[in-house]
């Protein structure tokens, strides 16, 4: 009964919003969103805008990043993705894994799938970098001469609640490269790609049983439970939808207002766009390498978030 009331309430709210717009305005808005998605999808090389993020180096970890598309994956890369997904996700999904694995195998080779691949290489010199930078961005062949795959991100540009979003389908790292800042580095890049593509938010799904991932997104990266998440509609599922919004329309349509729900706080965060932070940090707060940009970005982001709280309008 409560679920039905919640669904009915959402329908009425959407209907009231639509009443304020004429049919022509609604159609124009949909067309604009479709154009935004089409333009974002056409950009096959995210590193052309963020070349500094092509490398990540921290103590005993040195990696090179490349991009790819789901319909151009080589057989070794497909096998790698399947194996890493099974190792990392089988326990979280439990008895649901056999069905979910089949779904993920179909999703991974879709033409809509976009990838960031992370290759570990022992010696990153100018010649290797030049050789790799000349390769096509929409394929993942040449696995040997790129190094050993150790992580990947699968993301797509799509529409949620009539809002253009970057949806992170997978962020998977081998166990031995976890805890080295690589996950945060990849998510900073993803958020920059989202804003560069004029997406209004980043959305992702996390299994409730995966407490490490939940803590990573909620506490370290400040993602919030989305209003689209089943738990917010009174439904009992094994997962939550999380999001980080970049504009007020997305905040209103996708994001819960309370700050992590802590102590029933009547406040919400007003976030400064990461692209603005990226530009400021790159110039003023770091030495120019990707790791320091990543760390400084989140340092500034956390400071701004905690010092620009505004009361929720009730």
């Amino acid at each position: 009964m409560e679920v039905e009331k919640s669904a009915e309430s959402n329908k009425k709210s959407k209907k009231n919003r639509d009443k304020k717009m004429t049919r022509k305005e609604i159609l124009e808005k949909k067309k604009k969103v479709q154009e935004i998605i089409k333009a974002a999808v056409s950009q096959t090389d995210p590193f052309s805008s963020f070349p500094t993020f092509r490398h990540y180096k921290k103590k005993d970890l040195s990696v090179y990043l490349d991009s790819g598309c789901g319909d151009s994956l080589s057989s070794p890369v497909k096998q790698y993705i399947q194996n890493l997904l099974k190792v990392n996700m089988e326990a979280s999904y439990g008895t649901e894994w056999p069905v979910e694995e089949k779904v993920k195998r179909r999703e991974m080779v879709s033409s809509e799938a976009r990838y960031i691949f992370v290759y570990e290489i022992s010696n990153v010199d100018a010649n290797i970098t030049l050789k790799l930078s000349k390769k096509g961005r929409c394929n993942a062949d040449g696995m040997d001469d790129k190094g050993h795959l150790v992580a990947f991100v699968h993301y797509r540009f799509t529409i949620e609640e009539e809002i253009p979003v970057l949806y992170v389908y997978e962020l998977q790292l081998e166990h031995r490269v976890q805890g080295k800042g690589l996950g945060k580095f990849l998510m900073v890049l993803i958020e920059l790609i989202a804003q560069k593509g004029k997406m209004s938010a980043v959305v992702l799904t996390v299994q409730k049983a995966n407490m490490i991932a939940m803590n990573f997104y909620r506490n370290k990266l400040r993602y919030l439970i989305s209003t689209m998440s089943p738990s917010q509609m009174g439904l009992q599922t094994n997962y939550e939808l999380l999001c980080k919004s970049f504009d007020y329309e997305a905040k209103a349509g996708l994001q819960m207002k309370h700050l992590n729900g802590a102590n029933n706080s009547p406040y919400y965060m007003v976030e400064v766009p990461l692209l603005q932070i990226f530009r400021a940090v790159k110039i003023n707060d770091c030495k120019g390498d990707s790791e320091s940009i990543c760390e400084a970005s989140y340092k500034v982001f956390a400071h701004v978030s905690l010092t620009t709280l505004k009361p929720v309008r009730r």
Side-chain angles (χ1 to χ4, degrees):
M1 189 67 179
E2 292 181 2
V3 175
E4 292 177 356
K5 288 182 178 180
S6 178
E8 186 64 28
S9 176
N10 289 337
K11 287 181 181 179
K12 288 181 179 179
S13 177
K14 185 178 184 299
K15 189 179 293 184
N16 290 334
R17 291 199 305 270
D18 290 344
K19 283 181 179 179
K20 297 177 183 179
M21 300 176 66
T22 66
R23 177 176 175 78
K24 182 179 179 181
E25 289 173 336
I26 293 173
L27 292 175
E28 287 178 347
K29 180 182 177 182
K30 288 183 177 180
K31 182 180 179 181
K32 182 178 179 181
V33 170
Q34 291 287 355
E35 289 174 348
I36 289 173
I37 295 295
K38 184 178 180 180
V41 170
S42 68
Q43 300 298 315
T44 58
D45 180 15
F47 295 105
S48 62
S49 298
F50 308 107
T52 314
F53 278 77
R54 191 172 286 284
H55 292 95
Y56 178 78
K57 187 174 184 180
K58 185 174 183 179
K59 296 181 180 178
D60 58 339
L61 179 65
S62 179
V63 297
Y64 174 86
L65 279 64
D66 201 9
S67 57
C69 297
D71 57 356
S72 301
L73 302 178
S74 66
S75 294
V77 172
K78 289 179 186 177
Q79 189 62 51
Y80 176 84
I81 290 174
Q82 292 173 12
N83 292 341
L84 187 56
L85 282 171
K86 185 177 180 66
V87 170
N88 286 356
M89 303 305 297
E90 186 174 18
S92 297
Y93 278 96
T95 56
E96 296 178 0
W97 176 248
V99 174
E100 189 64 29
E101 184 178 27
K102 292 179 181 178
V103 174
K104 290 181 180 293
R105 287 189 178 189
R106 289 196 299 269
E107 291 175 341
M108 67 184 241
V109 295
S110 168
S111 60
E112 298 176 352
R114 293 291 179 272
Y115 285 92
I116 299 296
F117 293 110
V118 182
Y119 296 88
E120 185 176 31
I121 38 185
S122 55
N123 296 308
V124 184
D125 58 32
N127 292 329
I128 293 178
T129 301
L130 179 61
K131 179 181 178 182
L132 297 179
S133 66
K134 289 181 178 179
K135 288 185 175 290
R137 295 296 167 228
C138 243
N139 68 76
D141 294 321
M143 186 174 171
D144 291 338
D145 62 5
K146 288 184 179 181
H148 298 286
L149 268 169
V150 293
F152 73 90
V153 185
H154 168 190
Y155 66 96
R156 301 189 190 189
F157 299 105
T158 186
I159 301 172
E160 297 288 348
E161 299 295 307
E162 301 178 4
I163 296 170
V165 305
L166 185 156
Y167 205 118
V168 178
Y169 275 54
E170 305 289 347
L171 170 62
Q172 301 294 342
L173 285 71
E174 289 187 14
H175 180 74
R176 65 187 181 87
V177 298
Q178 295 176 15
K180 301 177 184 293
L182 179 58
K184 181 193 286 188
F185 177 81
L186 290 170
M187 285 306 297
V188 170
L189 174 59
I190 285 295
E191 290 168 21
L192 290 171
I193 292 171
Q195 292 202 60
K196 179 68 176 178
K198 297 183 180 180
M199 300 297 107
S200 295
V202 172
V203 180
L204 51 90
T205 304
V206 181
Q207 290 295 111
K208 292 179 180 178
N210 193 344
M211 297 306 297
I212 294 177
M214 193 68 75
N215 177 65
F216 173 70
Y217 291 114
R218 294 293 310 278
N219 299 326
K220 292 187 178 180
L221 301 187
R222 300 181 180 277
Y223 276 69
L224 303 179
I225 296 177
S226 172
T227 53
M228 301 185 301
S229 193
S231 66
Q232 304 310 305
M233 301 177 187
L235 302 176
Q236 296 297 320
T237 61
N238 295 328
Y239 65 90
E240 293 279 14
L241 290 180
L242 306 183
C243 71
K244 180 180 288 187
S245 302
F246 305 129
D247 59 46
Y248 288 105
E249 181 181 11
K251 288 178 189 294
L254 302 175
Q255 183 172 296
M256 292 186 68
K257 292 181 179 180
H258 287 169
L259 178 59
N260 291 337
N263 302 319
N264 296 316
S265 170
Y267 296 97
Y268 65 90
M269 288 192 297
V270 178
E271 300 156 349
V272 172
L274 274 175
L275 279 173
Q276 295 180 14
I277 293 175
F278 174 76
R279 294 190 185 102
V281 168
K282 185 174 182 180
I283 296 172
N284 301 320
D285 298 303
C286 67
K287 300 175 183 178
D289 63 276
S290 299
E291 180 186 350
S292 58
I293 290 174
C294 174
E295 294 299 325
S297 293
Y298 265 95
K299 183 177 180 181
V300 175
F301 181 74
H303 173 73
V304 171
S305 296
L306 293 174
T307 57
T308 57
L309 299 175
K310 291 185 179 181
V312 173
R313 295 178 181 176
R314 300 187 181 280

